Amino acid sequence: MKISDELIRYLESLARIELTDEQRAACETDLQSILSYIDTLNELDTDSVQPLSHAFDVSNVMREDEIKNGNNRDAILANAPHELDGCFKVPKTVD
């Protein structure tokens, strides 16, 4: 694929930017080198390569979900400035 000035101007309009002539020329050169590199990658023989979702083996490293502190309502409420009927008592925030 050949990068043309028309394509560069179209990309400008999509990105809502305005480039100078020097920037357009640099952009054209950069895009052409990217496409050339992709063409080089397309020449590689990948028939014997298995598709991967990750480069390394991924395993689940999550711990078991275990209850550690149990039901200590009285110990927790001992830290509260005010409590009412086994719950924290807080100032009213909505009228």
Side-chain angles (χ1 to χ4, degrees), residues 29-76:
T29 305
D30 291 344
L31 287 175
Q32 193 62 50
S33 67
I34 291 169
L35 289 178
S36 298
Y37 183 71
I38 291 172
D39 286 338
T40 304
L41 290 176
N42 284 335
E43 293 173 5
L44 296 174
D45 180 23
T46 59
D47 291 337
S48 62
V49 178
Q50 295 294 321
L52 297 174
S53 62
H54 292 81
F56 300 103
D57 288 335
V58 177
S59 61
N60 191 356
V61 294
M62 299 176 73
R63 63 174 170 77
E64 292 295 322
D65 191 15
E66 299 173 2
I67 298 173
K68 297 208 181 212
N69 295 329
N71 187 4
N72 288 331
R73 178 189 286 186
D74 295 331
I76 293 170

Side-chain angles (χ1 to χ4, degrees), residues 8 12 21 27 33 47 50 56 65 82 85 88 91 94-95:
I8 299 294
E12 270 184 80
D21 291 335
C27 184
S33 67
D47 291 337
Q50 295 294 321
F56 300 103
D65 191 15
H82 306 287
D85 297 328
F88 287 101
V94 178
D95 289 325

